[in-house]
Amino acid sequence: MIPSYFPQGDLVGVLTTQPLDRLLDYKAPEGGCHLGAFVEVPLGPRKVLGVVWGPGQGDYDSAKIRSVIRVLDLAPMRDEMRDFLTRAADYTLTPMPAMLRLGTRAPGLGDAPSMRKVYRLGTRDPDRKTAARDKVLAVLRDYGGLAFTLGELAEAADVGSSVVKGLVAQGAVLEEDAPRDVPYPPLDPDHGGKALNPDQAVGADALRAALRKEGYGTTLLKGVTGSGKTEVYLEAVAECLRMGKQALVLLPEIALSGEFIERVEARFGMRPAEWHSGVTMTERRRCFRMVGQGDAQLVVGARSALFLPFRNLGLIVVDEEHDTSYKQEDGVLYNARDMAVLRAALCGAQVVLASATPSLESWANAQAGKYARLDLTARFGAAVMPEMAAIDMRVEELPHGRWVSPTLRDAIANRLEKGEQSLIFLNRRGYAPVTLCRACGHQIGCDHCDARMVEHRFQKRLMCHQCGETKPIPVICPSCGAADKLAAVGPGVERMGEEVAALFPTARIAVLSSDLYGSARAMKAHIAEIAQGGTDIIIGTQLVAKGHNFPLLTLVGVIDADLGLQGSDLRAAERTFQLMRQVAGRAGRAAIPGAALLQTYQPDHPVIRAILNGDEESFWSAEAAERRGAGVPPYGRMAGIILSGPDLKAVFDLGDDMARRDGPLRQIGAQVFGPAPAPIARVRGKHRVRLLVKADKSAPLQAALAQWVAQFRLPANLRLAIDIDPQSFY
Ligand code: ADP
Ligand code: ZN
């Protein structure tokens, strides 16, 4: 048994966030420390953050062992969290220090709690009464002892802050220091629940019953966009709160709009804790602390919120569970959806995976009975799914350099007449994907990546979508020197904006693309304005496919439904199916029925046909059969190995060596493919080579991978990353 407390001087093993492959021994400080305590320890000349992971090893010269500097004022990490980090590290083959960094991603955790000034009612009367002073005192009396910040008090009393300061000088108002990290206000599970329709009620009942069993379970909540899934899982959140447990709702970063937070506030009377890239550092630290001490009941966050130190987590909702942004593609490579299931399994919580178009993985798990499944079949209220049709581009007459077919044009014109909105969807940022020299055929590429530069006319630059590098749009071809021969080839959303403006000169047009906004706030404001009818025609990328609600939108036109079907990605069909269904789901969310028109050169392609006839189950069954036949996920296991470095030959040599010495993999019946240049073979000047490992579903892949990789010594400038269950093949 590991002791839960170490008295002063006892040896403790500390896991730090530094890249070391072992625990370090220290002596417990004065006052001792608990297992899991967050501590500051000396490491060489530095002080670093760590967690007491267990007793010390004692295999180190005891005279040289130093003491823990101090124990931080934070709730110790719970066993369950240490367990989770360990298991997640094993699964993703991530070193523990990197895992701990994920679990401590709030700045200033070691700082003394920061303070701020607050104001309450004092005991003395002011020497002179004024109307303004009376207002301040009246507010303080009304709230019976509650503390205000200066700004809050001045605003509530409708006076200038100097009035408050004047009262402080006289002792009529007390100025005190109070900790800044205060608990989140309690949420009321019974505040604003909606009356559910019968489908929703069945779903909510099932989720409540699952929660009350107080054990692990996962439910796939499937329903078309607008069917009321959010209302259903908010009922599960309510039940979780009633049980006195904490809940976590994960959203794809892009969908973390104020809109959702407002919805939660309307439901529970108060705002939940938030955790995502738009939250200030102070607020992050507050969230981390309060989650740890149980003073945050509900967190709404992006994928990394999964690593917050919950005390008694009862429920994790993963909304839009199929979304690719749940897969972190940088640093620690993990899929938040899968890690949510792991975390819940370890702490006996329920998981709800919500989606209109679930991933094949989740569909298959439900099929196999590992997950429960709930279906909401109809849209809420009057709204119905849009009618879907293909526009066969082989027969449309379209001038060169134009992309809106006559059929789509007429449909848009019809909506304009009726005062309804249309959306033109093209998943390509910028003006044109290729800049070509008409004299020599040269295509302008990035200097650091094997990628073409994309013209962004709005910013008047060429941009590499791999590394973000930009350069001015040249006048002279960099290859042959011909002047004025460079031509934009192919459409991006900015170019669609021009074409649509020419077709409909009086329409109000908005181009929605993440790179066109200075800030997330500006983007949200614009989206809100569009939703209220400020625009007739919206032209957008993937950004609009997710989460936003445009009630007046009744037509969606997809410029190139074939776009995602090219390429060799094993998930190409699944992705196209999901994206097209999501985009189409934007139309007709309110009372007016919608239509979705897909421009395609392959109207008979099985995926396009499945999208059109809306027979989802048969699409999934067919896709599942294909993957099962090929032995690929979710019916087999895969891992990607990405090697990168500045010297192409060195990278390939290592790849060849790895492919040759594959003993540990062969032992579990796994196969290695490659090395091959990664689809984008050079990024930021680094050459990238990949190997792909395929194994049976039941094979102990991680252990074999670890053994295999351990055979090789990496030169200092070579990087090796292991991607378990790779999602994209970059
Ligand atoms: P989904 O999450 O499936 O896309 P939502 O939960 O966002 O669907 O519901 C779609 C719309 O219908 C929202 O505006 C929501 O407020 C409304 N709605 C859903 N269920 C109800 C209900 N039971 N009562 C009133 N409005 C509802
Ligand atoms: Zn680049």
Side-chain angles (χ1 to χ4, degrees):
M1 257 278 292
I2 299 180
S4 64
Y5 175 77
F6 302 91
Q8 179 175 3
D10 270 19
L11 281 191
V12 292
V14 173
L15 174 67
T16 70
T17 53
Q18 303 304 303
L20 305 164
D21 56 4
R22 64 201 153 85
L23 302 182
L24 300 175
D25 277 7
Y26 291 94
K27 288 182 186 135
E30 191 183 336
C33 57
H34 282 96
L35 183 63
F38 288 86
V39 291
E40 192 172 80
V41 293
L43 187 68
R46 288 179 305 153
K47 297 173 178 176
V48 302
L49 177 70
V51 169
V52 175
W53 214 256
Q57 292 286 305
D59 54 1
Y60 194 65
D61 180 359
S62 70
K64 287 196 190 143
I65 291 183
R66 299 199 265 175
S67 263
V68 167
I69 299 171
R70 66 191 177 99
V71 176
L72 305 184
D73 180 21
L74 287 170
M77 187 182 281
R78 301 162 55 79
D79 292 359
E80 155 212 319
M81 183 71 183
R82 287 186 292 124
D83 214 18
F84 172 54
L85 293 180
T86 309
R87 297 276 296 267
D90 289 347
Y91 188 84
T92 56
L93 291 170
T94 302
M96 281 307 288
M99 227 54 230
L100 182 61
R101 276 198 293 281
L102 266 186
T104 50
R105 276 190 26 185
L109 282 182
D111 300 353
S114 88
M115 305 299 262
R116 61 175 171 181
K117 301 261 181 256
V118 295
Y119 299 82
R120 359 172 145 264
L121 198 57
T123 43
R124 274 186 252 152
D125 282 335
D127 57 356
R128 187 171 49 83
K129 282 186 183 284
T130 67
R133 287 179 168 183
D134 281 348
K135 280 198 277 184
V136 172
L137 297 174
V139 166
L140 287 171
R141 269 186 222 108
D142 277 355
Y143 283 86
L146 215 66
F148 286 77
T149 64
L150 187 57
E152 284 167 353
L153 181 53
E155 192 186 322
D158 195 19
V159 302
S161 53
S162 60
V163 178
V164 178
K165 286 289 191 181
L167 287 165
V168 171
Q170 308 214 343
V173 170
L174 300 178
E175 185 182 75
E176 295 167 353
D177 287 319
R180 197 178 281 277
D181 297 341
V182 291
Y184 291 88
L187 305 181
D188 177 2
D190 303 311
H191 178 82
K194 293 198 163 84
L196 301 180
N197 70 25
D199 255 9
Q200 288 178 316
V202 169
D205 278 344
L207 293 179
R208 278 191 289 254
L211 274 160
R212 278 193 301 264
K213 277 195 248 143
E214 307 225 24
Y216 160 75
T218 295
T219 303
L220 174 61
L221 175 61
K222 182 181 168 314
V224 294
T225 321
S227 59
K229 294 184 294 298
T230 310
E231 297 302 332
V232 172
Y233 73 62
L234 288 180
E235 287 313 304
V237 170
E239 187 68 8
C240 180
L241 300 183
R242 280 184 207 108
M243 293 167 66
K245 294 189 173 186
Q246 292 170 300
L248 168 63
V249 175
L250 294 179
L251 302 179
E253 180 85 43
I254 203 162
L256 273 165
S257 58
E259 197 186 335
F260 186 81
I261 299 292
E262 277 158 29
R263 220 168 141 179
V264 172
E265 186 175 1
R267 175 64 184 82
F268 298 115
M270 289 290 170
R271 291 171 77 85
E274 288 178 61
W275 180 273
H276 49 86
S277 57
V279 168
T280 62
M281 291 302 161
T282 324
E283 200 52 29
R284 266 180 182 245
R285 195 187 54 197
R286 174 187 177 207
C287 183
F288 187 97
R289 275 177 190 274
M290 293 307 134
V291 166
Q293 65 191 55
D295 284 324
Q297 293 165 283
L298 170 62
V299 178
V300 175
R303 59 181 180 229
S304 60
L306 199 54
F307 293 91
L308 285 170
F310 290 94
R311 266 175 80 88
N312 59 351
L313 189 57
L315 172 69
I316 307 175
V317 176
V318 185
D319 199 359
E320 311 285 355
E321 67 92 31
H322 62 279
D323 197 287
T324 48
S325 72
Y326 282 120
K327 179 70 188 275
Q328 167 138 322
E329 302 277 13
D330 250 352
V332 180
L333 306 176
Y334 69 94
N335 188 322
R337 184 228 307 146
D338 301 340
M339 292 301 116
V341 171
L342 173 64
R343 179 149 199 192
L346 293 175
C347 70
Q350 287 287 316
V351 179
V352 175
L353 304 176
S355 175
T357 51
S359 60
L360 189 67
E361 274 81 358
S362 298
W363 180 84
N365 278 329
Q367 215 53 14
K370 285 191 217 158
Y371 297 171
R373 176 166 162 178
L374 292 169
D375 282 69
L376 301 180
T377 46
R379 286 193 151 184
F380 180 77
V384 290
M385 261 315 261
E387 221 170 275
M388 308 254 260
I391 297 177
D392 185 347
M393 296 302 280
R394 295 170 305 185
V395 302
E396 293 281 326
E397 303 228 348
L398 207 55
H400 183 73
R402 295 282 179 278
W403 290 273
V404 177
S405 64
T407 306
L408 180 56
R409 183 196 60 210
D410 293 347
I412 298 171
N414 170 276
R415 295 315 192 279
L416 278 173
E417 261 165 45
K418 292 197 281 189
E420 296 169 12
Q421 283 178 332
S422 305
L423 163 69
I424 293 182
F425 176 79
L426 176 64
N427 205 10
R428 264 193 181 143
R429 289 180 289 139
Y431 185 83
V434 178
T435 304
L436 179 85
C437 172
R438 265 179 280 140
C440 73
H442 176 73
Q443 301 183 359
I444 298 187
C446 175
D447 298 337
H448 316 285
C449 309
D450 285 346
R452 296 194 195 104
M453 296 293 271
V454 177
E455 178 176 348
H456 285 245
R457 198 161 281 190
F458 182 74
Q459 291 164 346
K460 301 196 176 56
R461 293 185 79 80
L462 297 175
M463 185 191 291
C464 169
H465 285 184
Q466 287 311 310
C467 70
E469 171 85 357
T470 68
K471 54 187 173 193
I473 302 171
V475 197
I476 293 173
C477 172
S479 176
C480 73
D484 298 323
K485 286 288 181 196
L486 292 170
V489 178
V493 278
E494 293 177 20
R495 194 172 201 174
M496 292 311 303
E498 275 183 15
E499 182 176 342
V500 171
L503 286 174
F504 305 104
T506 57
R508 296 166 302 164
I509 297 167
V511 177
L512 267 179
S513 175
S514 52
D515 57 314
L516 297 179
Y517 296 94
S519 68
R521 188 181 302 272
M523 184 175 97
K524 279 175 196 165
H526 193 200
I527 287 174
E529 187 202 314
I530 293 171
Q532 280 162 15
T535 296
D536 302 313
I537 305 174
I538 308 160
I539 298 165
T541 59
Q542 180 141 311
L543 181 71
V544 294
K546 302 187 178 178
H548 304 294
N549 215 338
F550 299 116
L552 302 175
L553 183 71
T554 59
L555 173 69
V556 170
V558 176
I559 293 298
D560 187 354
D562 310 330
L563 193 56
L565 290 175
Q566 302 146 6
S568 56
D569 196 320
L570 88 94
R571 292 183 174 81
E574 181 186 354
R575 293 276 155 72
T576 302
F577 183 76
Q578 287 164 341
L579 187 59
M580 292 299 120
R581 305 266 320 163
Q582 296 274 345
V583 173
R586 297 294 115 203
R589 303 231 331 156
I592 323 167
L597 299 176
L598 275 57
Q599 298 194 154
T600 171
Y601 285 92
Q602 332 170 47
D604 295 324
H605 191 291
V607 175
I608 301 289
R609 294 225 320 241
I611 295 167
L612 293 178
N613 68 27
D615 185 353
E616 303 178 38
E617 294 303 318
S618 47
F619 170 76
W620 275 315
S621 303
E623 183 66 13
E626 207 146 294
R627 299 234 201 131
R628 192 181 277 119
V632 295
Y635 303 99
R637 307 198 54 196
M638 268 169 46
I641 312 293
I642 298 125
L643 305 173
S644 59
D647 176 9
L648 179 62
K649 182 168 182 312
V651 181
F652 253 106
D653 284 350
L654 176 63
D656 282 332
D657 197 20
M658 290 183 73
R660 221 173 302 120
R661 290 154 65 192
D662 63 349
L665 295 175
R666 245 182 301 126
Q667 249 176 15
I668 62 157
Q671 282 175 287
V672 189
F673 299 89
I680 293 170
R682 199 167 53 114
V683 175
R684 294 188 184 88
K686 296 255 167 67
H687 295 279
R688 291 150 44 88
V689 160
R690 59 178 291 143
L691 297 113
L692 195 64
V693 177
K694 256 179 77 179
D696 277 355
K697 180 120 182 117
S698 57
L701 182 60
Q702 276 86 347
L705 283 171
Q707 255 192 354
W708 175 50
V709 167
Q711 303 177 99
F712 307 95
R713 238 173 193 261
L714 295 194
N717 59 5
L718 261 183
R719 289 252 165 293
L720 182 155
I722 301 181
D723 187 0
I724 303 286
D725 313 326
Q727 291 288 312
S728 72
F729 289 78
Y730 287 118

